[in-house]
Amino acid sequence: MKRIYLDYAATTPTHPEVVKAMLPYFTDDFGNPSSIYSYGQEAKSVIDEARIQVTKLIGARDKEIVFTSGGTEADNFAIKGIAFANENKRDHVITSSIEHHAVIEACKFLEKRGFSVTYLPVDENGLVDPGDVKKAITNKTILISVMHANNEVGTIEPIVEIGKIAKEAGIYFHTDAVQTVGHIPVDVNELGVDLLSMSAHKLYGPKGIGALYIRKGAKLASFIHGGEQERRWRAGTENVPGIVGLGRAAKLARQEMIEEMERLTSLRDKLIKGILERIDHAHLNGHPSRRLPNNVNVSVDFVEGESMTLNLDLEGICASTGSACSSSSLEPSHVLLAMGLSHEQAHGSLRLTIGKWTTVEEIEKILDVLPRVVSKLRAMSPLVKSTR
Ligand code: PLP
């Protein structure tokens, strides 16, 4: 059975061109970029080249990019780096209640170290209100961290507005752009951010590599101590094949993004419309228009998300209930709860995220299979008999 992959927000397949670009750096061109002989210098120059590709994708300068092991590390680096470099002066951080665990757990860690953190609420569509950001600022605030787009419901946050507030108040502003870089236009200057996290495996690059954008002049504590790599921000021998992969993925994204956004938006809207028409008591989660082009998230009353994903898997369809990190936990999504959904509605959520290799035939197939799966589960559900 040919499987249909509808979980591009969890991870994307690595683009064949990216794999091809990476391969020589495992074999013939294996040098350590710190070595002064030619093997090393060649590896150093491909890192420089990849860094330029990343800067072009987000409108940064090359000295402003530090390669990390992925989005989680970039988020931790940004948050702890700013907090620890400035802790004797200010000790308050503002974030939102719908951030990825990489941000939330980094903030909780800071709380244990004596920092205070404000977790802003969101509205029913998952939007942070910039007015709330403004109100939360105190003379102790050192950092605001609000994600560019949410990984579960796809809502795109008002980053430009929050950026202006942060700038006026002289507070560092970080955004987790793991779900947006390579998918929608991202420009660090237009967004007004000082720090931005990204991850290669969300944009058809390899896993285990990402980057943090750090605006020139930002004062951060280094994340990993050791050698001189990454201008001492992040020590350790560079992941040369991974960095080359991220660079190539960034280059491809720049070439293909606008066309791909249009194609995915149309497939996404077909999928949303089809689900809402064919399944009664199904509700769209997330903002109807300020939404990632590849994200569909629905709550289906009287069924559990886990049962839907397991039954879809039997039909060869890979989907998820929420973020990949929490989909194996039975806790309802903190994002959906923050948006005001009940525990039952949050448990009935299904996330379908599409991508480069999703076809219209696959959308039609899911629109055929999902209503059947839901009917079958509802026929067995005690919830249906007691509520309908
Ligand atoms: N931030 C967001 C919004 C994400 O969606 C993810 C991955 O799911 C991460 C951070 C973590 O990125 P990585 O898997 O590269 O550590």
Side-chain angles (χ1 to χ4, degrees):
M1 176 168 41
K2 188 179 171 292
R3 282 185 294 183
I4 297 178
Y5 185 70
L6 293 176
D7 204 12
Y8 279 81
T11 194
T12 55
T14 311
H15 196 295
E17 268 192 49
V18 170
V19 176
K20 199 167 150 209
M22 290 171 69
L23 281 176
Y25 300 97
F26 290 104
T27 53
D28 294 348
D29 304 323
F30 58 85
N32 184 326
S34 299
S35 304
I36 54 170
Y37 45 81
S38 55
Y39 269 135
Q41 291 313 293
E42 280 155 24
K44 186 173 176 302
S45 85
V46 291
I47 290 181
D48 294 343
E49 225 174 277
R51 207 184 304 274
I52 290 170
Q53 292 304 333
V54 172
T55 62
K56 283 186 178 166
L57 183 61
I58 62 166
R61 288 175 287 195
D62 63 348
K63 290 206 167 64
E64 296 177 316
I65 300 295
V66 175
F67 290 114
T68 65
S69 67
T72 300
E73 185 183 315
D75 284 343
N76 273 265
F77 184 7
I79 291 164
K80 295 177 195 167
I82 289 288
F84 290 142
N86 298 281
E87 68 186 322
N88 295 329
K89 288 169 244 147
R90 303 196 214 170
D91 60 4
H92 176 233
V93 174
I94 299 172
T95 188
S96 87
S97 47
I98 60 159
E99 297 297 311
H100 189 272
H101 289 294
V103 167
I104 295 206
E105 292 301 320
C107 287
K108 284 191 183 159
F109 173 80
L110 288 183
E111 284 183 285
K112 287 196 195 116
R113 294 300 187 92
F115 288 82
S116 69
V117 180
T118 303
Y119 299 90
L120 296 171
V122 291
D123 72 7
E124 68 278 12
N125 292 322
L127 273 182
V128 172
D129 179 348
D132 286 345
V133 177
K134 203 168 187 171
K135 277 187 238 146
I137 294 173
T138 72
N139 60 3
K140 288 286 185 190
T141 309
I142 185 63
L143 174 71
I144 299 169
S145 177
V146 174
M147 68 201 317
H148 192 192
N150 182 266
N151 47 305
E152 293 188 33
V153 296
T155 299
I156 301 171
E157 299 297 336
I159 297 303
V160 175
E161 290 81 349
I162 299 172
K164 284 186 188 139
I165 292 168
K167 194 166 184 196
E168 260 170 38
I171 295 168
Y172 286 115
F173 182 30
H174 165 248
T175 194
D176 174 340
V178 166
Q179 292 290 339
T180 54
V181 169
H183 297 277
I184 61 174
V186 170
D187 182 299
V188 289
N189 295 313
E190 277 171 25
L191 292 176
V193 294
D194 302 301
L195 303 125
L196 178 144
S197 307
M198 71 176 87
S199 175
H201 75 104
K202 309 288 185 175
L203 59 136
Y204 309 101
K207 293 169 186 59
I209 185 77
L212 179 66
Y213 158 78
I214 306 174
R215 186 175 292 281
K216 187 169 183 272
K219 200 166 159 248
L220 257 81
S222 293
F223 194 60
I224 296 182
H225 302 98
E228 304 270 327
Q229 295 92 349
E230 295 298 279
R231 294 168 48 250
R232 307 201 75 170
W233 287 111
R234 200 263 186 196
T237 302
E238 298 88 338
N239 172 358
V240 180
I243 291 172
V244 168
L246 172 55
R248 182 54 63 96
K251 184 176 179 186
L252 288 170
R254 215 155 35 88
Q255 290 163 352
E256 297 172 4
M257 184 191 309
I258 300 300
E259 220 173 286
E260 189 62 0
M261 270 171 60
E262 276 173 29
R263 191 184 77 88
L264 291 181
T265 303
S266 132
L267 289 180
R268 176 199 72 187
D269 291 346
K270 182 178 168 66
L271 186 51
I272 293 174
K273 189 164 173 275
I275 291 175
L276 299 182
E277 273 172 10
R278 293 176 199 198
I279 303 175
D280 59 352
H281 298 279
H283 320 270
L284 180 68
N285 293 321
H287 201 282
S289 55
R290 284 187 68 108
R291 179 175 205 103
L292 286 173
N294 74 338
N295 176 290
V296 175
N297 187 312
V298 287
S299 279
V300 181
D301 292 350
F302 319 121
V303 288
E304 300 244 308
E306 281 75 24
S307 313
M308 284 189 280
T309 51
L310 291 174
N311 277 269
L312 287 173
D313 191 30
L314 293 175
E315 304 259 2
I317 296 170
C318 309
S320 99
T321 54
S323 81
C325 317
S326 52
S327 57
S328 54
S329 125
L330 290 178
E331 287 297 305
S333 146
H334 69 287
V335 175
L336 297 177
L337 294 182
M339 287 162 55
L341 269 71
S342 66
H343 277 242
E344 288 72 25
Q345 287 170 325
H347 272 303
S349 70
L350 181 70
R351 182 184 72 175
L352 305 168
T353 47
I354 57 179
K356 203 177 278 299
W357 289 284
T358 308
T359 62
V360 72
E361 290 75 27
E362 288 180 337
I363 299 293
E364 277 156 10
K365 171 95 179 170
I366 174 95
L367 286 175
D368 173 45
V369 173
L370 185 60
R372 277 198 279 116
V373 164
V374 169
S375 300
K376 182 176 119 190
L377 292 171
R378 280 181 176 164
M380 298 185 301
S381 168
L383 292 170
V384 178
K385 294 188 189 81
S386 59
T387 349
R388 289 170 102 192

